[in-house]
Amino acid sequence: MHSDEQWWRSAVVYQVYPRSFADGSGDGIGDIAGLRSHLPYLAELGVDAVWISPWYPSPMKDAGYDVSDYRDVEPVFGTLAEAEQLIAEAHGLGLRVLLDIVPNHTSDQHVWFQQALAAAPGSPQRARFLFRDGSGPDGDEPPNDWQSMFGGRAWTRVRDGQWYLHLFAPEQPDLDWENPEVAADFEATLRFWFDRGVDGFRIDVAHGLVKAEGLADVGELVWPLPPEGELGQPEHPHWDQPTVHEIYRAWRKIADSYEEPRVFVAEAWVQPAARLVDYVRSDELHTAFNFEFLNTPWRAELLRQTIDRTLQAHREVGAPPTWVLANHDVPREVSRYARPQPDRVERLWLEDLLALPSDFPLGVRRARAAALLMLALPGGAYIYQGEELGLPEVENLPSDVLQDPRAFQTGIGHGRDGCRVPIPWSGSEPPYGFSPAGSAPPWLPQPGDWASSTAAAESGDHDSVLALYRAALRIRRELPALGDGDLQWLPAPDGVLAFSRTPGFSCVANVSAEPMALPAGSPVLVSGPLTADGLLPRDTAAWITG
């Protein structure tokens, strides 16, 4: 394995969503056995590490993000012994392993919450969570006006009349991080997995752990917060509280105590970039997902503004940016780019896209160009499984197969399952090698037209999205200009992004301009064919050396 302690500054990490990656047992649900069988594929792809979404015991009310035991493996996925074997095998292939930790909330089936329900108000068992008396004359109204991220109020009443907080599903009670017992238990969990060779963690809802004293109403306050100077720059009562950083300073000390220091990446939906980088100061977390980039439309001026803001903010704290185009919570980028692009940076859900006309070949062209743009930028990057195959969002899942609580609690009816459909490996029809022959159907149905998008089919096609990703990741490792560092913008027409990186590299992304001549040098990778006279067409990017 690469021994550089700073590997994370340039790393490309592949996200595995275990239920949908590969099924080794034949029950239609992905598992550790399936993942182990495809580790060579990930090594050949050229990534540096694998991030595995939660594999802990869970009732699966939110796809494993409702954890009932943080120090074991969900039997549907395998065993702890298999997890340890996977870690060792990944290391043997030069792949580091990151797990997902969910510190904002547990499952309602976690032993702590079951103890809290059985205990009296004011008990030590309830003090691990955020139980409160209700408001109103009889306490029959919630303690405040907070709303769940999945729709509806963020409070559920228990039999004795108290209410407990859940910023997500009712089956996901929020922990009280003012309680030292909570902090101590999670530190023990970190060490449990670090001692088994895990190289780091992605931290779920990293900006949500601490709630403001008094749990004041949100009122008209929006999230993300308005730009500095508007509304007096108030603090949100349950997002991005300043004292959350004390938790991560303690976690960093644990990570640094290992002979080869472990690393963290934050899922922190925090804006502006100047506030996000508080999470990656030198004594806190190592990296944080740059969701502003993910939410930026395919518009040159907006992309450049996002890139500039990101680089400047990270430069001020000495941390590398971490770029991402997709994950298990957002519609796949092919489907986002297949639609008319908005004129502002915003988060789009599937229901937003369905109202717009689509052009999926255009979406693929833009996604290919965006991949080269992302992988040429300074810092690290994450790839969501299936992104390297150019998979679109599955937009027509029947309502009776949906499992995402967001679909049920909001009443919108779509949720996030469309980006979680099991990925195709081989063959001409479902399950496309996801499961062994004769297995149960995949837990979410796959489209009937994915035969040309399987890993096997794309491996034999030099023009495929998979071939592009493999080439880009190989070149990224070979060229000293790529990875950590900085960039210099080059003169370019409106609608074009062009920058250089030292030594001897430039990237040009024609987002919306007329076909243009490439800069001087040798093109080493282009996201799509040039015109007949050698020009770079719209929705195409090129890497150039020399």
Side-chain angles (χ1 to χ4, degrees):
M1 290 177 61
H2 196 265
S3 60
D4 182 5
E5 291 185 0
Q6 299 289 303
W7 65 273
W8 46 272
R9 297 187 67 92
S10 299
V12 177
V13 183
Y14 187 97
Q15 180 190 355
V16 167
Y17 191 73
R19 295 175 66 85
S20 301
F21 187 70
D23 169 23
S25 68
D27 63 359
I29 299 173
D31 48 33
I32 293 174
L35 173 53
R36 288 174 65 190
S37 71
H38 289 292
L39 286 175
Y41 166 86
L42 298 179
E44 183 183 3
L45 180 62
V47 297
D48 301 292
V50 179
W51 153 34
I52 304 170
S53 294
W55 61 10
Y56 315 109
S58 168
M60 296 293 170
K61 298 298 184 181
D62 184 23
Y65 284 91
D66 50 319
V67 180
S68 57
D69 184 350
Y70 291 86
R71 297 173 210 158
D72 204 349
V73 169
E74 164 60 41
V76 168
F77 295 145
T79 65
L80 181 59
E82 286 181 287
E84 293 172 339
Q85 290 172 326
L86 181 146
I87 294 165
E89 290 167 3
H91 287 173
L93 291 168
L95 298 168
R96 288 179 166 85
V97 177
L98 310 182
L99 300 186
D100 217 312
I101 194 164
V102 188
N104 179 70
H105 48 262
T106 70
S107 164
D108 63 351
Q109 299 305 304
H110 191 286
V111 63
W112 274 10
F113 193 71
Q114 290 298 304
Q115 291 171 350
L117 292 178
S123 64
Q125 291 83 3
R126 289 209 173 173
R128 297 163 175 160
F129 298 90
L130 288 157
F131 280 86
R132 295 291 186 273
D133 293 331
S135 61
D138 300 316
D140 57 358
E141 294 295 326
N144 62 28
D145 67 353
W146 295 4
Q147 297 293 299
S148 164
M149 290 295 291
F150 293 154
R153 62 193 182 192
W155 295 91
T156 290
R157 200 175 194 187
V158 299
R159 289 183 177 179
D160 58 35
Q162 279 204 311
W163 300 72
Y164 70 87
L165 177 69
H166 52 87
L167 291 180
F168 294 87
E171 298 87 356
Q172 294 170 294
D174 279 46
L175 289 157
D176 187 348
W177 273 88
E178 298 297 324
N179 187 329
E181 193 174 358
V182 172
D185 195 71
F186 272 91
E187 290 178 5
T189 292
L190 295 178
R191 294 186 186 278
F192 177 90
W193 291 106
F194 287 159
D195 291 346
R196 282 159 177 77
V198 167
D199 300 285
F201 281 96
R202 176 260 194 188
I203 305 170
D204 185 62
V205 196
H207 59 303
L209 278 58
V210 175
K211 282 69 176 178
E213 185 176 356
L215 308 184
D217 284 350
V218 171
E220 299 300 318
L221 191 61
V222 297
W223 186 260
L225 292 172
E228 189 169 359
E230 297 183 23
L231 303 181
Q233 195 64 11
E235 294 289 349
H236 194 283
H238 63 71
W239 293 137
D240 194 31
Q241 281 284 305
T243 52
V244 76
H245 299 284
E246 297 174 9
I247 298 168
Y248 300 133
R249 291 188 185 100
W251 285 20
R252 180 63 177 260
K253 291 177 181 177
I254 294 172
D256 287 349
S257 71
Y258 284 78
E259 182 176 356
E260 182 172 352
R262 298 340 194 212
V263 303
F264 297 108
V265 57
E267 184 214 24
W269 291 89
V270 172
Q271 291 178 349
R275 186 143 181 160
L276 174 65
V277 298
D278 285 349
Y279 289 80
V280 292
R281 290 174 288 195
S282 61
D283 62 342
E284 293 191 41
L285 306 177
H286 301 76
T287 57
F289 293 126
N290 180 10
F291 293 125
E292 183 181 359
F293 183 72
L294 184 155
N295 290 331
T296 300
W298 187 243
R299 290 181 176 269
E301 67 279 9
L302 295 179
L303 286 164
R304 177 160 177 170
Q305 291 168 10
T306 292
I307 292 166
D308 281 341
R309 278 194 296 266
T310 300
L311 293 177
Q312 176 61 29
H314 284 76
R315 194 180 295 122
E316 290 177 359
V317 298
T322 300
W323 311 96
V324 57
L325 291 172
N327 60 37
H328 64 289
D329 284 331
V330 298
R332 288 189 178 273
E333 73 275 23
V334 166
S335 295
R336 300 199 313 270
Y337 292 148
R339 267 69 181 203
Q341 296 298 285
D343 58 5
R344 61 177 180 165
V345 177
E346 61 180 330
R347 185 173 185 179
L348 297 176
W349 299 100
L350 176 56
E351 50 269 18
D352 301 317
L353 301 181
L354 291 177
L356 301 173
S358 60
D359 180 342
F360 285 96
L362 174 63
V364 173
R365 289 199 303 275
R366 289 173 169 172
R368 291 172 65 103
L372 291 198
L373 173 64
M374 177 181 75
L375 293 172
L377 292 171
Y382 277 68
I383 298 169
Y384 177 49
Q385 65 180 40
E387 184 178 329
E388 81 282 10
L389 301 176
L391 296 183
E393 185 85 354
V394 180
E395 301 180 5
N396 58 351
L397 288 171
S399 59
D400 61 352
V401 306
L402 298 179
Q403 301 193 28
D404 179 14
R406 184 177 182 274
F408 310 130
Q409 289 186 222
T410 62
I412 293 171
H414 299 294
R416 300 165 293 176
D417 288 317
C419 63
R420 302 174 176 183
V421 171
I423 64 174
W425 290 100
S426 60
S428 59
E429 59 186 22
Y432 300 112
F434 170 74
S435 300
S439 299
W443 70 282
L444 285 174
Q446 300 161 304
D449 60 355
W450 271 8
S452 62
S453 297
T454 68
E458 293 201 17
S459 291
D461 180 359
H462 295 300
D463 296 323
S464 68
V465 179
L466 179 58
L468 179 74
Y469 268 84
R470 284 175 172 169
L473 292 173
R474 173 182 55 78
I475 293 168
R476 183 183 163 98
R477 285 191 168 190
E478 293 172 351
L479 295 182
L482 296 180
D484 197 15
D486 210 338
L487 62 73
Q488 297 76 42
W489 291 107
L490 300 173
D494 290 344
V496 174
L497 297 174
F499 58 86
S500 65
R501 302 197 60 192
T502 303
F505 174 88
S506 60
C507 174
V508 181
N510 186 347
V511 177
S512 59
E514 293 301 313
M516 58 171 290
L518 292 172
S522 301
V524 293
L525 189 60
V526 183
S527 67
L530 301 177
T531 65
D533 47 356
L535 301 179
L536 185 71
R538 178 180 295 194
D539 300 314
T540 310
W543 286 2
I544 300 157
T545 58

